[in-house]
Amino acid sequence: MEISSLAALSLGFIFVGSKNGDVSSTMLQTIMEKHESNDKGLDEKWAKFFVLGLALLFLGAQEESDATIEFLKAIDHPISKTAQVLVDACAYAGTGNVLKVQTMLHHCDDHVGGSSEGGKDEKDEKADDTFQAFAVIAISLIAMGEEIGAEMALRQFNHLMHYGEPVIRKAVPLAIALVSASNPQLPLLDTLSKYSHDNDLSVALNAIFAMGIVGAGTNNARLAQMLRQLAGYYQKEPDCLFMVRVAQGLVHMGKGTIGINPFFSDREIMSKPAVAGLLGVLTAFIDAKSFILDKYHWMFFFLVPSMYPRFLITLDEDLHSMPVTVRVGQAVDVVGQAGKPRTISGFQTHQTPVRLGTTERAELGTEEYISFAHVMEGFVILQKNPGWEKEDKMDV
């Protein structure tokens, strides 16, 4: 099962968001056959990666995933519920679809009703609740597209943290990390800092990892300080200490030049491989004891597809690096405003190359050059403004 799950996952990574019919039908067939032959493989810890591979094929597919979800409903096995949640979440990733978020919140609520009536045997109870952890992550996956949705999701996570079952609670830090990867805002850091001292060690562990993801590649001094304190606090807990060290590494990723936020081009376009990489790691963390802390610590490397340098490098038309002055500041949403509103607020002026934070935007300091790209991000090719020198001479 381990090998087939990892094969399914790698197919998911390769064909991410392609809705490839051959691959998805083969995966569904495999699940069906394993279920019919009463193969114990579907009960193993690896099965969640198998269905994640299937879900990644439908990343951003929206309605086109419906047929797959209907097919999964026909399979009477706990893993089918997990698969439905995952496929649904991936299909609407980054859309901010409110109805889907509601559906996922209903999933989180399911179990609470079931266990209070009693009458279920213990075995059933255990196998049943993985899908709830995925439902929590699904909320953040759907809401991470825009800021308002992400903020509302964070409030929901607060409620889930207070009233949820253990399986939901340990997924909440991961979901928070997904909503704002490489975007360390103070309220978030305080929340995660609180969770990182939780009585339930698996919640604490995931919260520490989430701190790493939220601050990945930002060199955030406040966060680095928190992690140093945590390292002292968890001296006697090898697992948590290991996690603190990893989180410290993530915060200083690439000496602060690499971010893992899956949105680029002014946070409008979602990079599918990046989302796939983040989901791969978060899935491993839903059951950290049997993956990351066992002998599968290499699962951290699933993060690699989502790492991307957060640079602005300006080049001339012959692609030689050319330093110009740019203004870097917090991005302001100016959609639909009349005239020429300021697109950034509170800027500082730098020479390129410069590093852009997740919520920052750059614009050229002078009109000496014209940019070919409409979004100042990554490599930008500049052209000399033909009308520039004449104005200069007139001033003289």
Side-chain angles (χ1 to χ4, degrees):
M1 191 61 197
E2 175 181 350
I3 291 170
S4 69
S5 294
L6 289 175
L9 185 63
S10 36
L11 281 171
F13 272 41
I14 296 164
F15 292 101
V16 62
S18 66
K19 309 183 277 286
N20 187 305
D22 299 346
V23 181
S24 60
S25 58
T26 314
M27 287 190 193
L28 287 168
Q29 207 177 337
T30 312
I31 296 178
M32 198 73 183
E33 284 167 5
K34 280 191 188 307
H35 174 57
E36 281 169 358
S37 61
N38 283 336
D39 188 338
K40 284 282 172 277
L42 291 180
D43 302 331
E44 279 182 35
K45 58 182 184 180
W46 288 99
K48 48 171 96 60
F49 282 103
F50 197 97
V51 293
L52 177 66
L54 173 64
L56 288 177
L57 296 175
F58 295 98
L59 195 62
Q62 300 204 11
E63 284 87 30
E64 294 176 60
S65 64
D66 289 352
T68 309
I69 293 174
E70 290 304 320
F71 185 91
L72 287 166
K73 282 179 185 164
I75 301 173
D76 179 30
H77 188 277
I79 198 68
S80 141
K81 185 87 172 179
T82 307
Q84 288 166 40
V85 170
L86 263 174
V87 173
D88 216 6
C90 284
Y92 289 90
T95 56
N97 186 314
V98 184
L99 296 174
K100 290 293 166 196
V101 174
Q102 283 178 343
T103 321
M104 294 305 168
L105 281 167
H106 278 304
H107 284 315
C108 295
D109 179 44
D110 271 0
H111 191 74
V112 185
S115 59
S116 58
E117 292 160 20
K120 275 188 177 177
D121 58 335
E122 199 53 32
K123 181 97 171 57
D124 219 26
E125 208 68 15
K126 273 202 90 55
D128 210 2
D129 53 8
T130 324
F131 73 91
Q132 290 185 299
F134 282 110
V136 178
I137 288 181
I139 295 170
S140 64
L141 184 61
I142 297 166
M144 71 181 174
E146 17 84 278
E147 283 161 38
I148 314 288
E151 237 168 86
M152 284 156 62
L154 290 172
R155 272 198 63 189
Q156 295 300 341
F157 295 149
N158 237 336
H159 296 315
L160 289 174
M161 205 62 185
H162 281 293
Y163 308 116
E165 305 270 317
V167 66
I168 294 179
R169 292 194 56 195
K170 72 178 180 200
V172 168
L174 301 176
I176 293 177
L178 185 57
V179 164
S180 63
S182 292
N183 184 10
Q185 299 146 333
L186 283 181
L188 267 184
L189 295 186
D190 290 340
T191 313
L192 286 174
S193 172
K194 190 172 73 195
Y195 294 159
S196 64
H197 295 82
D198 198 278
N199 296 334
D200 181 357
L201 273 185
S202 58
V203 175
L205 195 85
N206 287 356
I208 297 168
F209 177 65
M211 286 164 105
I213 293 284
V214 167
T218 56
N219 273 351
N220 188 302
R222 171 99 186 259
L223 191 51
Q225 179 60 35
M226 281 180 184
L227 289 169
R228 278 196 291 277
Q229 284 166 353
L230 277 174
Y233 182 79
Y234 282 122
Q235 261 170 331
K236 305 270 188 296
E237 289 285 343
D239 289 346
C240 290
L241 189 62
F242 164 65
M243 220 51 246
V244 173
R245 296 297 180 226
V246 170
Q248 282 175 316
L250 285 172
V251 171
H252 302 296
M253 185 194 292
K255 299 273 195 296
T257 56
I258 295 177
I260 56 170
N261 200 303
F263 291 91
F264 63 97
S265 177
D266 237 350
R267 287 178 301 141
E268 285 167 0
I269 307 173
M270 181 175 77
S271 154
K272 288 178 178 172
V275 175
L278 282 167
L279 280 178
V281 178
L282 297 186
T283 307
F285 267 93
I286 280 180
D287 192 0
K289 280 266 181 292
S290 48
F291 287 115
I292 301 287
L293 304 176
D294 198 24
K295 47 183 194 286
Y296 305 107
H297 45 78
W298 46 262
M299 288 189 170
F300 280 123
F301 290 111
F302 288 158
L303 270 181
V304 173
S306 53
M307 293 180 188
Y308 195 76
R310 293 267 161 229
F311 273 139
L312 165 61
I313 299 177
T314 47
L315 311 165
D316 60 12
E317 292 176 86
D318 303 326
L319 299 188
H320 297 307
S321 175
M322 177 174 60
V324 295
T325 50
V326 290
R327 296 196 284 256
V328 178
Q330 290 295 318
V332 181
D333 196 7
V334 291
V335 176
Q337 290 185 16
K340 261 197 162 179
R342 289 241 167 264
T343 51
I344 58 177
S345 73
F347 57 80
Q348 292 173 315
T349 311
H350 294 290
Q351 285 279 90
T352 56
V354 297
R355 181 193 180 279
L356 298 178
T358 308
T359 52
E360 291 177 336
R361 183 184 289 161
E363 55 183 40
L364 290 170
T366 57
E367 301 203 350
E368 188 178 350
Y369 293 98
I370 302 173
S371 154
F372 278 106
H374 67 289
V375 177
M376 301 285 287
E377 201 174 289
F379 295 100
V380 177
I381 300 174
L382 301 180
Q383 177 186 34
K384 193 105 169 125
N385 187 346
W388 169 253
E389 262 172 357
K390 292 169 194 155
E391 285 175 26
D392 236 23
K393 282 175 186 157
M394 278 168 67
D395 288 349
V396 171

